[in-house]
Amino acid sequence: MNAAGLERSIQEIWALFKETDQRFKKSQEDFDRRLKKSQEDFDWRLKKSQEDFDRRSREADREIAEVRKAIGDLGGKWGRFVEGVVAPGVERLFLERGIVLNRTHPRVKAHNNGQRMEIDLLAHNGDVAVLVEVKSTLSVNDVKVHLQQLADFKTFFPEYADRKLYGAVAGIVIEEGADRFAYQQELFVIAQSGETVILLNDEKFQPKIW
């Protein structure tokens, strides 16, 4: 190859190198641009996800606060129902059955060997005590739970060991069969009627003494 041909070959190779370098630079610029855009997209999505999470977290906190307030209001109303309607009604209803109850105590609690018992309403005099389980909706299972409370009561409250103990269940709504089951278990059954309460037990009813 003569000198002229060699010079031309060198120029062609150099031109090829320059073209390759330009393509590489362009590819690198395209890659950097796409990477930057991807990073910007990722940052935007991450920011939006965080904003969505924060918004949902605030909404959840607000809903929890509303539920807690509703529960608190319900507890207050329920306490007023027990004390304002059931308690005086129990005194009247049992007096009609010849049982004088001169003291009523809502939400009586006791502990024994790490176990806990809470009675919705305890009514008593010097000789008799009545345990009343009060439910918004009374079920058969509620009756069964109360029967166990009656069985355990004097263990938790030994000061009542020498008194006759009767059981009663009360409900604003009484599920089908719950009143019949309670009657068969020799419990008094109390139901809401307007702004007062009534006994569903007939005159032939004989309550169990625990």
Side-chain angles (χ1 to χ4, degrees):
M1 180 180 294
N2 57 29
L6 180 61
E7 178 68 21
R8 186 168 57 254
S9 296
I10 291 173
Q11 290 177 353
E12 290 175 353
I13 292 171
W14 180 247
L16 182 60
F17 273 133
K18 287 178 66 176
E19 183 181 352
T20 301
D21 183 60
Q22 289 174 353
R23 289 180 178 177
F24 176 78
K25 288 181 179 180
K26 187 176 185 303
S27 297
Q28 184 65 44
E29 290 172 355
D30 289 344
F31 175 78
D32 291 342
R33 185 173 62 255
R34 289 196 297 269
L35 180 61
K36 182 180 179 181
K37 187 176 185 304
S38 297
Q39 184 65 46
E40 290 173 350
D41 289 345
F42 175 78
D43 292 342
W44 180 82
R45 293 177 186 275
L46 181 62
K47 181 181 178 181
K48 189 174 185 303
S49 296
Q50 184 64 47
E51 291 173 349
D52 289 344
F53 174 80
D54 292 342
R55 176 177 54 78
R56 291 176 182 177
S57 179
R58 289 192 298 270
E59 291 175 354
D61 289 343
R62 183 172 63 253
E63 290 173 358
I64 291 172
E66 290 174 354
V67 170
R68 286 176 176 170
K69 183 178 183 301
I71 291 173
D73 292 344
L74 179 60
K77 292 176 182 178
W78 187 244
R80 290 192 293 274
F81 172 72
V82 173
E83 296 178 30
V85 178
V86 179
V90 164
E91 293 179 7
R92 172 180 55 80
L93 294 174
F94 278 82
L95 180 60
E96 292 173 358
R97 297 296 175 107
I99 301 173
V100 179
L101 300 171
N102 49 32
R103 293 184 182 179
T104 56
H105 306 284
R107 295 183 177 177
V108 179
K109 304 175 184 178
H111 297 267
N112 181 58
N113 293 327
Q115 300 296 314
R116 179 175 177 272
M117 176 180 286
E118 179 173 349
I119 305 300
D120 289 336
L121 183 67
L122 171 62
H124 63 93
N125 61 29
D127 302 313
V128 173
V130 179
L131 269 62
V132 187
E133 180 76 1
V134 185
K135 295 293 182 182
S136 56
T137 302
L138 183 69
S139 67
V140 170
N141 188 63
D142 294 325
V143 177
K144 292 178 179 179
V145 170
H146 193 46
L147 289 169
Q148 188 60 54
Q149 287 182 320
L150 286 159
D152 297 337
F153 177 75
K154 292 183 179 180
T155 300
F156 283 85
F157 297 87
E159 63 271 29
Y160 290 87
D162 60 345
R163 301 192 194 190
K164 293 180 180 179
L165 181 62
Y166 297 111
V169 290
I172 298 175
V173 176
I174 299 178
E175 291 185 357
E176 184 177 357
D179 51 347
R180 183 169 62 254
F181 178 72
Y183 187 103
Q184 292 170 346
Q185 300 302 313
E186 303 171 304
L187 299 175
F188 288 98
V189 184
I190 301 169
Q192 185 180 23
S193 177
E195 296 184 357
T196 186
V197 288
I198 58 173
L199 270 180
L200 299 184
N201 307 74
D202 55 33
E203 295 297 330
K204 298 181 295 183
F205 173 73
Q206 295 296 320
K208 179 177 179 178
I209 300 174
W210 274 264

